[in-house]
Amino acid sequence: MEDDHIETYDLNKKIDEVELEQPHVTISMKNMLEKLHPISEECSIYRVSKRLHNINDMAYTPQAISIGPFHHGQKEFMAMEQLKLRFLDAYLRRVGMGIEDAFEIAQGWETRARKCYAEHIDMKSDNFVKMMLVDGAFLVEFIRMHYQWATMTQPNLNYTLFQAIHVDIYRDLILLENQLPFFILECLLDKCSSSTPFVLFTSTFCRWYTGARELISDKLLTKKPNHLVDFLSFYYALPTVTGKNDKLKYNKRESPPTATELWEAGVEFQKATEDKRLIMDIRFKDGVLSIPHLEIHDAFETYVRNLLAYEHYHIGDDERCLIQYVYFLDELISTERDVSLLVKAGIITNNIGGNNEDVSKLFNDLCKDINISCDFYYYADISMDLHKYCETWWHRSMASLRRDYFNTPWAFISFLAATFLVLLTSMQAIYSAISYHKSKP
């Protein structure tokens, strides 16, 4: 009995302890929930998922310089912190402002800037403000120097430092994880006496990535860019679609045939030249597939991957322009031969130093682990028309005839000679038959 009493006492004691712990646990959970980083409408800067990093880590990870809080303080970027301070000093001297006044201005950015990041930034207020000021001034000075270097507006300016660091850090500045809110850069430039709008500075900086294309300024009329990656997206827009009556037809993500399949069916590839702005304006008419020129350079994969990641995390399904465009090209390009056909037509310029197989692999990997669903697929009609063209017997037969008999002048002459011999033989046979029937009694 005494043992039973002891066991009952121990059991009651454990129950009491659990009951005491429960309020403590709920209070702890409540505190955790209250400390969750709020997701606001201004949130636009994200960490890229591990899945995408595993495909190509260097395309998303800075190699020389950190901008913003995600990679701030990492040992490998400490050497560049001294350079950023030099740029801050140059900025302050140029605008005639003391560090105290600049820091006070930067303090006014903190609340809004923290909301721009998709996760809680575990930095003390002073450190966060200092980072915004140093990184922001560096970006403004670097982009301004790039503009002067590209336009030669100040030929007497010493560009030795700019040229020395340009190659190392250029790509790091358009990584999604390496961004500052754009309003910080605009605010810093507003303190300058420059009459050049910061949008012009930035467009000159971004133009190198997009193959010297014109900025689609219509987007600037409806919204301001969130950061440099978002600004890059302003160079891309799907052409306006008219007669969109059957919406279900455009919801279907129809894959186009490969370039080789199209070539075998007699489709002609042509480099579009009508509008340099509309890189996504792919058209198919009368057996001719027209595609704007695309330059594959060393930074191509980096900027495209970061733009795709940005669309993946931030842009609504119906506005995913680049995802649709890259998906179409990914389906069009399957092998090295597909790339060769587009290179031969002048549509693709391969400047990455490798062969065409490297370009085909690049496109085949770009859409991996990217959500390519969309409410409206712009290339649905083009893809369906291409399939219909390839499935037409007449088109395939004529294409085969041109390839086999009309591919060289000698082949064409041989074909004419063979045709002439067949005609002569046929005429001789007919003449012999007629003569035979006439000679019969």
Side-chain angles (χ1 to χ4, degrees):
M1 291 293 293
E2 186 175 346
D3 291 340
D4 291 341
H5 176 72
I6 292 172
E7 289 178 5
T8 303
Y9 173 78
D10 290 341
L11 180 60
N12 291 335
K13 183 179 179 182
K14 289 178 180 178
I15 293 173
D16 291 340
E17 288 175 350
V18 170
E19 290 177 348
L20 287 171
E21 287 176 358
Q22 283 179 348
H24 174 72
V25 172
T26 56
I27 291 172
S28 175
M29 292 179 66
K30 184 177 180 181
N31 290 335
M32 291 170 62
L33 291 172
E34 289 175 350
K35 291 179 181 178
L36 278 176
H37 180 63
I39 302 298
S40 70
E41 292 183 357
E42 292 189 82
C43 175
S44 63
I45 304 174
Y46 308 83
R47 281 193 193 272
V48 177
S49 70
K50 188 176 180 180
R51 294 195 310 276
L52 295 179
H53 272 282
N54 288 340
I55 295 173
N56 187 344
D57 184 62
M58 285 187 64
Y60 305 105
T61 306
Q63 303 299 307
I65 193 169
S66 71
I67 299 293
F70 287 164
H71 297 275
H72 181 76
Q74 294 180 10
K75 187 180 297 184
E76 59 267 36
F77 305 128
M78 295 311 294
M80 280 295 179
E81 291 301 312
Q82 294 298 312
L83 178 67
K84 288 195 286 188
L85 288 174
R86 290 184 183 278
F87 274 62
L88 171 62
D89 182 61
Y91 169 81
L92 294 175
R93 290 176 182 275
R94 189 162 59 83
V95 301
M97 185 187 301
I99 188 63
E100 296 84 4
D101 293 334
F103 192 85
E104 184 178 350
I105 292 171
Q107 285 178 314
W109 306 332
E110 182 180 5
T111 301
R112 181 182 174 187
R114 286 183 182 271
K115 292 179 181 179
C116 295
Y117 294 92
E119 63 183 62
H120 172 68
I121 306 302
D122 189 17
M123 293 177 66
K124 292 182 178 179
S125 178
D126 286 352
N127 291 335
F128 185 81
V129 172
K130 174 186 172 184
M131 176 206 69
M132 288 191 299
L133 180 59
V134 173
D135 290 1
F138 170 80
L139 282 174
V140 167
E141 288 298 293
F142 183 85
I143 292 173
R144 186 183 65 86
M145 290 176 70
H146 180 274
Y147 175 81
Q148 293 172 350
W149 173 69
T151 60
M152 295 301 291
T153 53
Q154 292 186 23
N156 295 325
L157 191 66
N158 187 343
Y159 290 107
T160 304
L161 178 60
F162 175 79
Q163 291 174 327
I165 64 174
H166 179 269
V167 176
D168 289 333
I169 70 174
Y170 207 82
R171 282 188 288 183
D172 284 357
L173 303 185
I174 47 90
L175 305 181
L176 184 56
E177 295 183 0
N178 224 27
Q179 296 300 307
L180 275 188
F182 200 79
F183 78 86
I184 292 177
L185 309 184
E186 288 186 308
C187 183
L188 285 168
L189 191 79
D190 285 345
K191 306 300 177 184
C192 307
S193 57
S194 173
S195 59
T196 306
F198 191 60
V199 167
L200 183 57
F201 283 139
T202 311
S203 63
T204 305
F205 169 77
C206 291
R207 194 174 296 159
W208 181 80
Y209 294 99
T210 61
R213 301 201 177 257
E214 295 178 28
L215 178 66
I216 300 175
S217 56
D218 296 349
K219 286 191 174 184
L220 288 171
L221 299 177
T222 57
K223 70 166 190 172
K224 287 190 174 183
N226 295 315
H227 41 71
L228 288 179
V229 176
D230 190 29
F231 195 96
L232 266 175
S233 73
F234 284 24
Y235 283 85
Y236 297 91
L238 291 169
T240 303
V241 178
T242 57
K244 195 169 48 174
N245 297 322
D246 185 5
K247 191 172 181 180
L248 290 175
K249 178 174 64 175
Y250 292 93
N251 282 342
K252 185 178 180 182
R253 198 174 67 244
E254 183 78 30
S255 302
T258 65
T260 299
E261 291 171 335
L262 294 173
W263 178 77
E264 289 175 348
V267 173
E268 179 185 346
F269 300 105
Q270 185 179 87
K271 181 177 72 171
T273 56
E274 291 82 6
D275 193 337
K276 293 182 179 180
R277 297 191 312 156
L278 299 180
I279 188 175
M280 298 181 177
D281 192 10
I282 300 172
R283 301 184 183 186
F284 179 63
K285 185 179 180 181
D286 298 331
V288 178
L289 181 61
S290 176
I291 304 176
H293 177 251
L294 184 64
E295 180 184 358
I296 312 298
H297 48 69
D298 289 337
F300 176 83
E301 182 175 4
T302 297
Y303 95 80
V304 170
R305 281 193 177 278
N306 282 272
L307 274 172
L308 289 174
Y310 180 59
E311 283 195 2
H312 178 73
Y313 290 118
H314 188 75
I315 306 299
D317 288 349
D318 57 339
E319 297 179 0
R320 290 179 169 175
C321 300
L322 194 68
I323 286 178
Q324 293 197 38
Y325 171 73
V326 173
Y327 171 77
F328 183 89
L329 292 181
D330 178 26
E331 297 298 318
L332 191 68
I333 296 171
S334 180
T335 65
E336 179 182 2
R337 190 182 183 192
D338 298 320
V339 178
S340 299
L341 289 169
L342 299 178
V343 169
K344 186 177 180 180
I347 294 170
I348 288 180
T349 300
N350 180 4
N351 286 334
I352 60 175
N355 54 34
N356 291 334
E357 185 179 359
D358 295 330
V359 177
S360 67
K361 187 178 185 306
L362 185 156
F363 277 100
N364 297 158
D365 288 343
L366 278 176
C367 284
K368 285 183 178 178
D369 287 325
I370 291 289
N371 180 14
I372 56 177
S373 64
C374 52
D375 295 334
F376 167 71
Y377 182 52
Y378 174 78
Y379 300 108
D381 265 358
I382 297 175
S383 297
M384 287 188 287
D385 290 344
L386 288 171
H387 277 290
K388 289 177 183 177
Y389 193 93
C390 290
E391 292 165 2
T392 303
W393 173 84
W394 174 255
H395 294 151
R396 301 189 69 85
S397 299
M398 291 302 296
S400 177
L401 186 65
R402 286 194 296 269
R403 283 197 307 273
D404 297 339
Y405 298 103
F406 301 153
N407 56 343
T408 66
W410 289 111
F412 179 67
I413 292 171
S414 299
F415 175 79
L416 288 178
T419 303
F420 183 68
L421 285 174
V422 170
L423 288 173
L424 283 178
T425 304
S426 300
M427 291 176 65
Q428 184 178 10
I430 293 170
Y431 178 78
S432 299
I434 292 172
S435 298
Y436 172 76
H437 283 291
K438 283 183 176 182
S439 63
K440 287 184 69 175

